[in-house]
Structure formats: C-alpha cells, structure tokens
Amino acid sequence: MQKTEGEESKAENEEVKQVTLMTSDGVKMKVEISIVYEMEIVRSFIEVNDADHSVPFPLPNVSSHTLDLIIELVKNEYDDEFMKTFSHDELKEVLVAANYLNMKTLLDFIATAIANLLEKKSVEFIRNFFNIVNDFTPEEEAEIRKTNEWVFQDLDED
Amino acid sequence: MSPPPWEALNLVATCLDPKTLAIASCVSKSWFSSLSSDHIWKPILATHFPSLTTLPSAVTHRRLFAMGYAAAALRSKGPPKPTLSLGDLVFAVSVSTSDGDVVSGVRPGDGLRMEAAGVFRFGVGCDDAVLREVEEKKVRVTWNVVLRGWGGVFTMVEREREMGLVGGSEGWFWQELPPAGCCSGAVGSAMVGDLKVGMCEVKGGNGVRVDEVSVGILSVVDWRYVSVEDGLRIRQHVKPRFGVLISFRTEINTKRWWELSNIEHSLHQKKAFFTFSYFVPSSSSTFHLMVMATMVSEPACPTRTVHDVASSVSSKWHSSPWKKKPHARLLQCSLRIRACNNSMANNKDIYKQVGLFSLKKKIEDAVLRAETFASTALEMEQATWIKQEEMVRDFDMWDDPAKSNDVLVKLANSAKVVDSLKDMKYKVMVEEAKLINQLAEINAIDCGLYKQAYEASLAVSEILDQYEISKLLKGPFDLAGACLVIKASPNGTHPKLWAEQLLNMYLRWSKRQGYEGRIVDNCPIKNGGINSATIEFEFGCAYGYLSGEKGVHHLIRGSSNESSQLEVSSATVDVIPMFFENSCDLEIDSEDLIISSPSIQGENKRQTDLSVCIQHVPTGISVQSSGERSYFANKMKALNRLKAKLLVTAREQDVASIKSIQKDKIFNPWQEETRRYVSHPYKLVHDVKTGIEVPDLNYVLEGSIGTLIAAHINSRAMS
C-alpha cells in the first residue's frame, strides 16, 4: 500500500508506471498501472486519452479505504486469508466498488466469497447483510416459505 | 449503507448454491422475482438433475429443482424411525393340541425377554398347564400381535403340525408374513414369522408343560433375524390382512371360554373389517355370534380361522350373498347388539367371559358412534321439526281438516324423535363418558362398573339402531299398521304346530317393541296348533317392519320316528298394510266382488256364521275376516284388507291402477321362500332373502327377529 500524496516526481516512477486516482473522500492515490488496468472503467479512459497520468482520475463512488482494500487484494492475488479479515460492510463496499470499477476477476472473487458467507444462513441474515427491507406481507412470506420448504432445514445460526 | 445495485447481486446470485439461492428468494418481493428466474436456475438444474431440464414443462426450473431435490433427499434418507415401539404391542401366543388342551401366554411387548440384544426375537412365557406326554401330536400354534388399545390384530404365525410332547423336545413353526399393504400381494414379503415351542418335563409328575415359546421375524434373504427396529417397521407396514385372534382366556368354574375375533383388513380405501366373537362354553353346544363391521364392499380375503367351530360358521358367513353389498353396517351393528343382549340374559358372567379389554372397546365404539351420529341426526331432525312448525303456522288448519291432522301427526312424530335423541345425547352420553373416564383412571377391573357402562352403551346403540332403521322406512305403505296372516300348510299336524310357533314369535316380537299384537282371527285345532291366524299390529311402521316377512317359513327338524330323515314343516305369512285414519279411498266395482260366508275349519260355530270371505274376481285375490262380532264389521274389515292388498299388488307390479293388475303375476306367498329355521342337525336360522344367518334358533323363536327385519329393511333400502 502506498500513500503517495504530495509526491509528484514522474521521472522516479519511470520503471513502474503509476496512475493517480482520486477517491470519493478526496484522497489522491498513486496506483500501479497493472492494477489500474484491471479496472475496466479507468483503463478504457487511459487508453483513449493516453494522456497525463498525473491528472488524478476521479472515482466518486469509491472511498479511499475501499480502494486500499482492493489494491491490497489484487496485489496479494486475491488471498482468501486476507479477505477473511474483512468486515461485512467492507465486503459489500468492495463488491459495490468492484462492480463500479468493472473489475471482472475481483467481482467473481468477491461474489464467491459473499456467496460462501451466505451459505446456509437464514432469510433474516441475508436481509440484514444487504440491508433489505422485507416488503412481503406475513401471509405472502409464509406462502413463499412454504413453497421453498425443503431449504429451511439444518440452517446455521446467524 | 444502501443495498448494493442489482448487477452486483445478480453476480452473487450466480455464485450461490441452490439452497441459499432459494433462501435468498424469500428475502423480499424484488429478490423473489429476480432470484426465481429460470436463467439463474437453469444451469443449477442442469448440473444437479440434467434429465429434468429437458422436460417440456410449464413448471419453473426453481420448482423442478425443488422437486428433484426432495426426491433425492427421500431416496438417500434411511427408513424413518419406526412409529411403533415395542411398548405398543402385545404378544399373544397359544399352543393347542388336538385333544383340546390349550396353553397360552400374553405379554406386553416391552415386558418380553429379548433373546439377543437388538434382534427381533423374544421369549414369551406361557401358563403352566400340564399336557399329556405323547411321542407325536398334532399341535396348532398361533402368534398374534395386538396393537395397544386394540388398534389392530396381526397374525404372525398360525400353523398346525406334528410335534413330540416329551420333555426337552422342540417344535419349530414358521410362516411367511403377508407383504406390505402397498403391493398386489402376488409377491411374498420375504419375511417369515417364526415360532419355537420348547417342552419340559413337569417335576415329579406325568406330562409335560410348555417351557417357553420364542417368537421372531426372520428375513428369508439371509436367514437372519431382523433387528428390533426393522421388526417394528414390518409390523407397521403389514396391514392386518387376515387375522384370527384368540385373545384372552379366563377360566371360570373350570369351564373354558373363548373369544375369537376375526378381523378382515382394509384393502386400499375400501374398508372391509369385521369381528366375530364366539363364546363357546364347552359344556353346551350353543354359541353366540357377535358381528361388528364398518363396510363390506369387496370380496373378502380368504379368512383363516383358529378353531373348527369358528371356521364352520365363518365359512358360512363368507358364502352368504350379502357380504359383497356395501352399506352392511347398520345391519351388522344391530346384530351385535341383539346378540349381546342375549348373552347377557343367558349368563351374568358375560363380562368376565368377553374379556374386559374388548368390552371396554365395545363401550368406546358405542360412545363414539353415538357422539358422531347423534349430533348430526339431532340437527337434521330439529331442522325438519322447525320446518313443520312453520308449515303449521302458515297453513290454515280449518280449511282442510284431513291434511292438518296429517301435518300435526308428523309434527308430533318429529318432536318425539328430537326428544329421544336429545335425551340420549345430553343425559346418557355424559354419564357414559364420565363412567368410562373413571374406569380408565382407576384402571381397576370392576365388573359392576363395566356392566353399567356396557348396558348404557347398549341402550344408546339400540336407540340409534331404531332411529337408523326408521329412517330407512320410505316405502309408500311403510308407515301403516300391519295385518299379518299366518297359514299352515295343509299336510299333517306338524305344520299346524309350526304355524302356532310362528304366531307366538310375532306376538313376542311386538311385545319387545313395546306394542301389543292383537289376534283377530284364530283357527286352532284340537290337538294343538293352528290352521291359520291373523294378527293386527296397530302401530306406526308395522308394515314397514313386517313386509319382509311375506313368504314361506320352513321349519327343518329331525324326524320324530327316529329315522335319520329331516322333516320340513311349512307355513306362509302374508302381510297387508292397515291404514289407520283415512281408510284407503279406492273404489271397487261391487260387481267384481264375490262375498260369501265360508265354513272355516274352526271349532267355534258362531264364528263360522259371521265370517266373511271376499273374492275380487278380476285378480282372483281373496281375503277373509272372521274376528269381528258382526257380519257387517267383518265385511268392512275384509273389504279394507282387500283394498290394501290390491294397492300393494298394484304397487308391486308397478302399475297405476288396479285394473291393470296382471293376474298371473300376483304375489303368492307359497312361491317365495323367506326363511329356514333349522333345528336339526344343527341350530340355525337362515334368512333366504338377505342371506343372513343367526345361529340361535330359540332366540329367534322367542321373538328376536329384529336383526332379520333390519337386514331386510336394509336390503330394500339398497335396492
């Protein structure tokens, strides 16, 4: 992880090309070009413009914390162990960010991770996890649960 | 934090396992609609159940997966825990020799000695009866399993073969169990019920006694005893296909009493189920028959019986034609009640003989029947009563006196029925239930208490029987009174005596019904017996009850001159309806009538002078009356009978007017056999029309023809 705020010597970074990204909370971060290339949204912009990499690329939907996590994940080649240290909120933020940045590999990875987390969990757990409001009436819910009766056996504790 | 956008969720969804996916679809409405879509489920279905994907079906893939999953889960799951436990079973074994010696043992399933841990093989201790020591003897063994609470009886083994009755000898008996109820029964169950009898010498005495009987279930596949759990499962699945039960034996004053019950099992949804009980005191040859049934609608399965006496009667039972008729329930219930009544009258010890268990069961049956039946019947009757009352209110009584009278009579009848039903429901039933509760609580064998409960239940059943039968009387003349004419066959003196016996039977019957039958014409002869007699039953429904009695009644008995030939005496019974209020308004052309005063072979000279015989020329029907004190009264009476007879005949031939009655088709009582009363070589009353058989001749001749009458009413209602 590199906080590169204030450092702007282009010559120094000849060997390792870097792109400056600006997160939603106004933090400017220099990120290796290999990592940036995974972010489809940034990559397409860079390829089209091939311009000054020093101009910060704005990412209004990604916080600096999330971006840090993403960079670390990519650097560690998607390490499961590292991911397990994430909180639920962090997971979701990474998911949303990966979706926004259109990072295919990361998306698959994070989706699988979340899927694993949700496995054998109750409906209420999933609702809390994604912060979803239950808009079923009690009768509707009972009916739907009944048609899916086979799944409501041996679930894990939340 | 707000929920993640849909694209992300969709991505997660494709990574979810089917189970979590289904759970997630219950989260909210939008989740449900998106997560139930076929494009998510199709790959899942294709992975798990490829064959189901190709099904051309309107069912969603999510649903298909659920079904496939359920099916797979069911397949992979082991058999469920048996719902029965050993404690639910009572094992009853008996060993009987051809000498009539019997050794039996009854043990609750949880009190059995398990011969090897976890294996369905148990030792059942027997009573200490001493058997005579012989080298080889035909021995019959039965092993029955009774479900606690008399839910069912299963015959595991019922076998007869030779075995040595000497100390240390062992006899093995086995029999394949019937297959589980689901299959046609063509294939065996591959399970064998197995029974071993061990003998041991009696200390210092002659003879042997049964040491122990061990019973078990063997699998034919590997010839091993099955585990206890499997044994219970088998018990669970094998329906009581045919079962013969020797349930309990008690010895009272050195007499041996038996209760044999035979339970036919249910085949598919149609129930065929009946129980016979015979009480056979060894000291006398009479026995009584108890029948209880729900419905018989299929040809009964082959029935096996334990004892010869039982098999002789039951085989007759099975050959009787009405067994296949559905609806036999009422009739059989009433049979049971009558028969019980009889045995009660004969012997006060009946409670001990029957065995308290089955007695309790019978009481419960009666209570159940009353509870389920009485309330609906009461509702129905009350509804008709209210309707009739409304009719009375709306109807101007003064306009049509005849009709208003009719309505009022009906109203009074309904009120009476409602009262009796209510009375029974609220008084007897409550007491009944209490009594039985008490019995169950103290669990004491108190014969007095049982007796009360049993009698109360009998009373309730009788009311219900009468009600049910009265509901079946729907014929056009069924509600009328009846005039019953008995005529002896002209040959010899025996038929005259027989006719007199019949006369007494009907008089006693009406007395049992609480009414008096009035003998109006009687032609006795010198040495006892009668040529003919006419009885009038002036109560409602008498015709409905008695119309089935029309025809020839044969008495079959041993010849009086010691030869082995059987003698048959015959008499006919004819029944004519008697209208109470408004005598039938049938007009008969007086030119069609020949009125005469015949000389009857009577003793009474005066009677001969007054008697009237009327013949209706076009039909040839003739009636006579000689009971009244004046010629005119006799003429009126004869005329009324003639009219009634013409009406009945017109009805029988299904023609609108008496003019269209065909002479050659008129019912002749001599041409139709109604009943045979056999007193030799065995005692039996066989009702030819319904096929019903009652073994106790004297009981019937004492006027207990209720069962036979009920049977006929039932068969009429069915046809």
Side-chain angles (χ1 to χ4, degrees):
Chain A
M1 193 163 34
Q2 281 177 320
K3 294 225 167 173
T4 54
E5 197 179 358
E7 278 179 55
E8 284 194 22
S9 75
K10 201 178 164 185
E12 258 180 46
N13 297 321
E14 263 322 312
E15 317 91 57
V16 187
K17 241 185 169 180
Q18 285 188 323
V19 179
T20 312
L21 301 173
M22 191 163 84
T23 58
S24 58
D25 42 356
V27 180
K28 286 176 189 157
M29 290 167 83
K30 284 199 168 176
V31 184
E32 283 173 33
I33 195 96
S34 61
I35 298 176
V36 172
Y37 272 166
E38 287 204 22
M39 308 173 181
E40 288 288 331
I41 192 170
V42 187
R43 179 181 173 163
S44 57
F45 179 78
I46 295 168
E47 277 171 0
V48 170
N49 294 323
D50 197 24
D52 186 2
H53 293 314
S54 61
V55 178
F57 185 90
L59 297 174
N61 288 336
V62 186
S63 71
S64 57
H65 179 65
T66 312
L67 192 59
D68 280 345
L69 293 176
I70 290 174
I71 290 165
E72 204 61 19
L73 269 175
V74 177
K75 271 191 182 164
N76 292 331
E77 293 173 341
Y78 307 108
D79 181 13
D80 265 333
E81 292 304 313
F82 174 59
M83 172 103 100
K84 277 179 187 155
T85 63
F86 287 18
S87 73
H88 287 174
D89 276 346
E90 284 168 342
L91 274 176
K92 274 183 292 180
E93 280 162 20
V94 171
L95 176 72
V96 174
N99 184 50
Y100 168 69
L101 296 170
N102 205 358
M103 300 172 74
K104 284 235 161 57
T105 326
L106 179 63
L107 259 181
D108 280 348
F109 176 67
I110 199 82
T112 317
I114 292 178
N116 287 340
L117 186 80
L118 297 180
E119 194 177 330
K120 289 192 174 180
K121 291 293 193 293
S122 68
V123 176
E124 289 73 23
F125 181 88
I126 298 177
R127 268 188 210 132
N128 284 334
F129 187 87
F130 288 113
N131 208 3
I132 310 252
V133 179
N134 178 14
D135 53 357
F136 284 125
T137 63
E139 294 80 34
E140 281 170 343
E141 181 162 7
E143 176 67 32
I144 285 197
R145 276 177 184 252
K146 209 180 159 198
T147 60
N148 285 307
E149 214 172 2
W150 59 279
V151 299
F152 293 104
Q153 285 152 12
D154 44 73
L155 296 182
D156 291 351
E157 291 289 306
D158 292 349
Chain B
M1 188 182 166
S2 63
W6 269 112
E7 309 91 81
L9 274 183
N10 245 338
L11 259 166
V12 176
T14 50
C15 301
L16 287 174
D17 66 313
K19 199 166 178 173
T20 318
L21 194 59
I23 293 171
S25 70
C26 302
V27 163
S28 75
K29 279 181 183 168
S30 48
W31 280 52
F32 179 76
S33 57
S34 67
L35 297 187
S36 300
S37 67
D38 272 3
H39 85 267
I40 294 185
W41 282 98
K42 192 167 184 175
I44 296 175
L45 187 67
T47 324
H48 288 83
F49 307 107
S51 56
L52 293 183
T53 334
T54 54
L55 279 178
S57 96
V59 181
T60 63
H61 284 85
R62 182 179 65 87
R63 194 82 196 88
L64 274 177
F65 179 85
M67 292 192 282
Y69 179 89
L74 216 62
R75 190 84 178 79
S76 61
K77 223 192 278 175
K81 277 261 167 201
T83 54
L84 284 176
S85 77
L86 271 182
D88 293 329
L89 303 177
V90 178
F91 284 44
V93 294
S94 72
V95 180
S96 53
T97 68
S98 46
D99 295 342
D101 291 325
V102 176
V103 184
S104 65
V106 176
R107 294 283 180 278
D110 45 6
L112 292 168
R113 191 173 66 76
M114 210 181 276
E115 301 209 332
V119 171
F120 200 92
R121 181 168 162 78
F122 307 97
V124 182
C126 281
D127 56 12
D128 289 335
V130 175
L131 302 175
R132 204 156 48 82
E133 193 167 348
V134 273
E135 272 302 319
E136 283 280 299
K137 187 91 208 159
K138 220 174 205 161
V139 170
R140 187 177 194 100
V141 298
T142 53
W143 169 28
N144 292 294
V145 176
V146 184
L147 264 181
R148 274 267 156 91
W150 295 90
V153 179
F154 315 94
T155 301
M156 306 292 285
V157 178
E158 189 207 332
R159 261 278 200 259
E160 188 178 62
R161 65 178 196 79
E162 307 247 306
M163 74 170 278
L165 295 182
V166 290
S169 73
E170 287 182 345
W172 291 85
F173 301 82
W174 62 272
Q175 197 165 30
E176 186 166 14
L177 296 177
C182 64
C183 306
S184 65
V187 184
S189 65
M191 292 290 169
V192 162
D194 164 271
L195 187 149
K196 187 191 95 178
V197 182
M199 294 290 173
C200 68
E201 258 170 81
V202 177
K203 269 177 208 161
N206 289 329
V208 289
R209 67 181 178 80
V210 175
D211 181 25
E212 193 175 68
V213 176
S214 48
V215 293
I217 299 179
L218 265 171
S219 163
V220 183
V221 179
D222 51 5
W223 290 105
R224 282 170 195 278
Y225 287 98
V226 301
S227 73
V228 173
E229 272 198 4
D230 282 344
L232 290 171
R233 271 188 212 110
I234 293 166
R235 270 286 36 79
Q236 224 164 279
H237 290 303
V238 178
K239 300 284 187 306
R241 170 72 159 281
F242 40 80
V244 182
L245 160 77
I246 305 179
S247 57
F248 294 100
R249 186 196 61 168
T250 47
E251 284 188 32
I252 307 162
N253 305 333
T254 71
K255 284 181 197 164
R256 283 185 171 167
W257 302 90
W258 290 92
E259 180 192 356
L260 313 178
S261 302
N262 184 332
I263 296 179
E264 285 283 328
H265 98 294
S266 56
L267 277 170
H268 309 297
Q269 50 294 65
K270 290 177 186 169
K271 286 220 161 166
F273 181 107
F274 34 89
T275 308
F276 302 57
S277 306
Y278 304 94
F279 306 104
V280 189
S282 55
S283 59
S284 83
S285 58
T286 62
F287 52 89
H288 313 297
L289 166 68
M290 286 180 143
V291 184
M292 174 171 72
T294 45
M295 194 168 108
V296 184
S297 58
E298 284 194 352
C301 311
T303 308
R304 303 171 183 215
T305 46
V306 172
H307 279 259
D308 297 335
V309 58
S311 65
S312 71
V313 176
S314 72
S315 60
K316 270 174 217 145
W317 181 270
H318 280 281
S319 60
S320 61
W322 61 278
K323 75 179 178 198
K324 283 176 193 162
K325 290 180 189 167
H327 228 312
R329 184 173 168 275
L330 303 180
L331 150 84
Q332 288 163 315
C333 282
S334 46
L335 233 184
R336 169 181 58 157
I337 300 309
R338 303 291 172 183
C340 291
N341 263 337
N342 175 45
S343 359
M344 304 241 302
N346 286 358
N347 200 321
K348 289 258 158 78
D349 285 339
I350 187 70
Y351 310 104
K352 287 174 193 166
Q353 297 153 18
V354 176
L356 291 171
F357 276 111
S358 58
L359 200 58
K360 196 174 164 194
K361 178 76 181 148
K362 276 165 196 146
I363 296 169
E364 282 167 6
D365 280 350
V367 172
L368 191 72
R369 176 169 169 232
E371 270 172 359
T372 50
F373 186 80
S375 54
T376 49
L378 185 59
E379 266 170 38
M380 220 168 70
E381 289 300 330
Q382 266 172 334
T384 39
W385 188 15
I386 289 165
K387 222 186 206 166
Q388 281 165 348
E389 267 188 337
E390 274 170 5
M391 218 165 105
V392 171
R393 238 177 282 133
D394 299 344
F395 182 67
D396 194 346
M397 291 292 210
W398 299 105
D399 281 349
D400 186 350
K403 193 173 179 194
S404 63
N405 194 20
D406 195 16
V407 170
L408 284 175
V409 166
K410 274 187 188 156
L411 184 64
N413 280 343
S414 319
K416 223 161 90 184
V417 172
V418 169
D419 275 352
S420 83
L421 283 171
K422 254 190 188 160
D423 192 50
M424 182 189 70
K425 195 174 172 206
Y426 296 115
K427 287 188 193 148
V428 185
M429 295 311 302
V430 172
E431 275 173 37
E432 183 79 60
K434 270 191 205 154
L435 206 54
I436 290 163
N437 270 346
Q438 282 170 1
L439 290 173
E441 268 166 26
I442 55 173
N443 205 14
I445 300 169
D446 184 338
C447 290
L449 218 53
Y450 268 110
K451 188 179 169 181
Q452 279 177 30
Y454 188 50
E455 269 165 5
S457 74
L458 283 181
V460 170
S461 297
E462 202 151 358
I463 292 173
L464 287 177
D465 283 345
Q466 273 179 5
Y467 174 76
E468 283 179 341
I469 289 298
S470 72
K471 284 284 119 183
L472 290 175
L473 294 176
K474 291 195 186 100
F477 313 113
D478 278 356
L479 299 181
C483 170
L484 188 135
V485 184
I486 302 171
K487 282 187 182 143
S489 131
N491 322 317
T493 52
H494 287 307
K496 316 283 188 279
L497 293 168
W498 169 229
E500 192 171 27
Q501 268 184 299
L502 271 180
L503 174 69
N504 287 331
M505 181 178 89
Y506 287 115
L507 288 175
R508 284 178 189 144
W509 169 77
S510 72
K511 211 164 194 174
R512 283 187 184 210
Q513 302 291 306
Y515 301 104
E516 204 70 47
R518 199 161 62 92
I519 304 176
V520 287
D521 295 0
N522 195 1
C523 306
I525 50 177
K526 243 181 206 162
N527 307 324
I530 52 168
N531 269 322
S532 71
T534 306
I535 323 168
E536 285 183 352
F537 298 101
E538 295 177 31
F539 54 91
C541 299
Y543 184 74
Y545 282 119
L546 292 171
S547 59
E549 300 294 309
K550 283 180 203 172
V552 187
H553 294 242
H554 289 298
L555 174 71
I556 297 163
R557 66 173 148 221
S559 175
S560 46
N561 53 20
E562 300 282 312
S563 75
S564 60
Q565 277 183 336
L566 296 178
E567 264 184 25
V568 180
S569 313
S570 314
T572 60
V573 170
D574 196 10
V575 187
I576 305 164
M578 235 166 58
F579 303 104
F580 305 125
E581 283 89 16
N582 34 353
S583 58
C584 45
D585 43 3
L586 184 73
E587 288 297 328
I588 304 176
D589 196 342
S590 58
E591 287 183 9
D592 287 345
L593 302 178
I594 300 173
I595 302 173
S596 58
S597 285
S599 65
I600 304 168
Q601 288 178 301
E603 303 293 296
N604 193 332
K605 192 89 170 65
R606 196 180 62 86
Q607 202 180 26
T608 319
D609 294 338
L610 299 176
S611 70
V612 174
C613 179
I614 304 180
Q615 193 185 11
H616 185 244
V617 181
T619 57
I621 292 174
S622 71
V623 290
Q624 58 186 43
S625 171
S626 57
E628 298 300 321
R629 290 185 192 175
S630 76
Y631 179 82
F632 180 73
N634 274 329
K635 188 180 160 188
M636 286 313 293
K637 200 149 216 172
L639 206 57
N640 274 339
R641 277 183 204 159
L642 178 68
K643 285 175 179 176
K645 195 146 186 190
L646 285 170
L647 281 174
V648 170
T649 311
R651 176 89 197 163
E652 275 170 358
Q653 298 192 357
D654 210 12
V655 290
S657 139
I658 56 162
K659 292 202 175 70
S660 356
I661 290 174
Q662 286 170 284
K663 197 173 174 181
D664 49 343
K665 280 192 192 162
I666 292 172
F667 171 78
N668 178 357
W670 283 106
Q671 279 166 1
E672 195 168 316
E673 189 177 7
T674 300
R675 208 171 286 151
R676 285 178 203 169
Y677 304 75
V678 184
S679 79
H680 188 81
Y682 48 87
K683 287 201 165 38
L684 183 77
V685 177
H686 174 68
D687 195 277
V688 181
K689 284 181 187 166
T690 58
I692 205 171
E693 292 179 352
V694 178
D696 196 333
L697 175 67
N698 292 333
Y699 180 52
V700 170
L701 290 180
E702 276 163 22
S704 302
I705 51 174
T707 49
L708 302 162
I709 287 174
H712 193 266
I713 292 173
N714 264 302
S715 67
R716 282 209 309 262
M718 276 183 268
S719 62

